[in-house]
Amino acid sequence: MGRRIIISQLEAKSKEAKLDGYFDKLIKYIPTEIVGGWVAITGLIKGASNIPTNTTLWILFIIFTGLTAVYILKQTFEPKKPLAIKQTSISTIAFIVWVFALGEPFNTLSFYNPVYGSILLIVYNLIIPLINPVEESKKN
């Protein structure tokens, strides 16, 4: 199973390829590898005593956000097909939502409440599989 979301038989590599349903799209939209890396690295940073935790986490958050976009673009790349920009954008926002729900480094902001993160995570994850990543070039 590739990472690119397939919503029509025309996009499939073969006639036997299965179209992605709700749960397939959910799995493909969430960048679990990057979120897992984030969880691991935040644990390392919080455990280190000689590192400015807050500043380091904000810098790493920016790096991981960019890394998510690059990683998803690479994972969804298929020759002779347009880049999966919409899927990459949704996945990058999904990473941000997951980090917001996990707390670090957003918990240093005055407005942050863990309940907001949990609600946003649930709502976002319920909605994103309903979005079909139809590329602009297919509309022509």
Side-chain angles (χ1 to χ4, degrees), residues 32-90:
T32 54
E33 307 91 321
I34 306 293
V35 173
W38 176 259
V39 170
I41 208 160
T42 54
L44 290 171
I45 298 297
K46 290 192 300 187
S49 58
N50 58 347
I51 295 177
T53 306
N54 190 36
T55 303
T56 305
L57 287 175
W58 278 110
I59 291 168
L60 287 171
F61 171 69
I62 292 166
I63 292 169
F64 268 63
T65 302
L67 179 64
T68 302
V70 171
Y71 178 75
I72 298 298
L73 275 174
K74 184 173 172 72
Q75 290 294 308
T76 58
F77 178 79
E78 291 183 10
K80 299 182 182 178
K81 288 189 180 180
L83 294 176
I85 300 297
K86 195 172 191 179
Q87 181 176 349
T88 300
S89 300
I90 291 167

Side-chain angles (χ1 to χ4, degrees), residues 5 43 53 66 95 106 130:
I5 294 174
T53 306
F95 169 73
F106 289 97
L130 301 174

